[in-house]
Amino acid sequence: MNEKRLKYIFLVFILVFPVCIIYTRILPFIDLPFRLMASTIMRYYDSPGYIFSQYYTIPTLFKSNIFHLIFCSLKIFPDVETANKIYYIIYFISFPSLLFFLIKKLGYNKWFSILGFFVVFNSDVHWGFADYTMSLSVLLLFILILKNTFDRKNASWLLLSLLTILVTFFVHFQMSIYECVLFVIFSLMTFRHEIKKLIFYLLSLIPIFVIMALVYLMDANRGNEDMFSFLLNYYINVYPSEILVRLQNIFFINNYHLGGNIYGVIIGLSVSAIIILPAIYLIFKKKIKFKISGIAEIVMLTSLLFYFILPDIIPGQNLISSRFAEIFFIGLILFLSETDFDSRKYLLSVNILLFLFFIVNIRYFAEFNKVTKGFDKSFFDSVNKTEVVTGLIDKSMYKDRPVFVHFHNYYTVWNKGISTGLIDYRYGVIRRKAEKNILPDFDPWSKLSEYPKERYLNCRYLLLKSDSAISDKNFDLINSVNDWKLYKRNY
């Protein structure tokens, strides 16, 4: 098919999500508010007139998963939200672009790169996993570099591969481990008859493993269950019952958030069918040879293995295995692009379906703009900045996903005050300095029916999102808009 036409189509498609990001006032990504809160604290931590240093501490920046935090806290940007939007625009442009260049580098059919637009706004983006989100783009770049490293077999490309893994580590720990796995596999395949070179390439990973171990050990004993005991119990008592659920979820997990409930399942299954069914057809009907040593096949098989084998939750961290679903679909796209599939009718259908898919996505962002109307900086203007705001998000759902659970953290982002949450996560950079009687812990899954709890009574201000109200004489309603209510403790 005409490559010039592809470039025009690609240029139009690649602008859709950046435009959505620009015109959406508050992005509908679940964990994003407390990540923006972290960048706000980082940006103003030592600035005169702010009290962040009284409540928080930053023990070290020698950690993984800090790229988004550092990027959004840079003072070259007018504020952290602007920086965050630029961050996501970079991701939404870089992911499909790098997929295109990877397919081109491999000599495959570049038209199949447009399938990447079905994957780019995935479950991890929706969850607000900002660092893992960007690591998907870095992974594509790494595979490009890895291809050259083992084609050219020289020190310069080896060093570049290792540096990319190290950069990935500071973007996201889990992805850097996966890149190490790919590096080891390619080393074994390339140098299986050259033992000295194989040993040299494998030993070159040692400095990276040392850094990984040091950073992990700094977080290993933060009041969490021992990892070995957890995993032993998990694989004996929990894992067997999860296998069928994982098999079901992989077919719709990446796009479920666009509709929620049955609509989310339909959207997710439809997108999966567009990518998976042609691959099944090629393998079983056309008997396309499945090369175990091919890049596409290695990405597919390793990501699928990790998706099904790894736990999805470990002490202090969740959604582990499910993050490999996007990588599996990347592998499928690479596999389709390398075949000699007569793709004209299929790709025409893909373009039409992608147009409809973009309409669904645009509507998703536009509707979120409407449901958050009125919730802005001025909502918190009456709050005393020396006091603490907590949240009770009784109505947390948007499209059947808990998008609003951390919205009280926008008080910190917008008004530079203190809000609960963020600091008690195992792998976080911003840590607790104030005691819990001053800065209570935060449960994002609390319900109004569970009120009152000490964590609410210890805060001067309480943000409630509910159709109901708090009937407590100790709190006065001082502001409200739609189902958002702001209470002040009157004693």
Side-chain angles (χ1 to χ4, degrees), residues 243-274:
I243 296 176
L244 183 59
V245 175
R246 292 192 188 195
L247 182 61
Q248 295 170 340
N249 286 352
I250 198 169
F251 294 110
F252 63 82
I253 187 174
N254 276 331
N255 297 107
Y256 176 82
H257 57 274
L258 292 174
N261 298 310
I262 187 62
Y263 301 106
V265 173
I266 291 171
I267 294 169
L269 290 177
S270 299
V271 169
S272 296
I274 294 166

Side-chain angles (χ1 to χ4, degrees), residues 387-425:
E387 304 286 355
V388 178
V389 172
T390 192
L392 180 55
I393 312 300
D394 198 44
K395 288 177 60 181
S396 63
M397 297 297 183
Y398 174 69
K399 305 287 186 183
D400 196 40
R401 305 301 295 153
V403 174
F404 296 108
V405 290
H406 298 292
F407 260 48
H408 70 293
N409 291 146
Y410 277 114
Y411 168 64
T412 299
V413 177
W414 294 333
N415 301 72
K416 313 301 183 290
I418 309 299
S419 56
T420 57
L422 169 71
I423 50 177
D424 295 314
Y425 289 95

Side-chain angles (χ1 to χ4, degrees), residues 341-355:
F341 182 33
D342 183 10
S343 55
R344 186 175 298 272
K345 290 182 180 179
Y346 169 69
L347 289 173
L348 178 61
S349 301
V350 166
N351 278 276
I352 294 171
L353 292 170
L354 192 55
F355 177 77

Side-chain angles (χ1 to χ4, degrees), residues 229-247:
S229 301
F230 171 85
L231 292 176
L232 184 64
N233 176 70
Y234 170 79
Y235 283 111
I236 293 174
N237 300 314
V238 180
Y239 176 73
S241 63
E242 287 188 353
I243 296 176
L244 183 59
V245 175
R246 292 192 188 195
L247 182 61

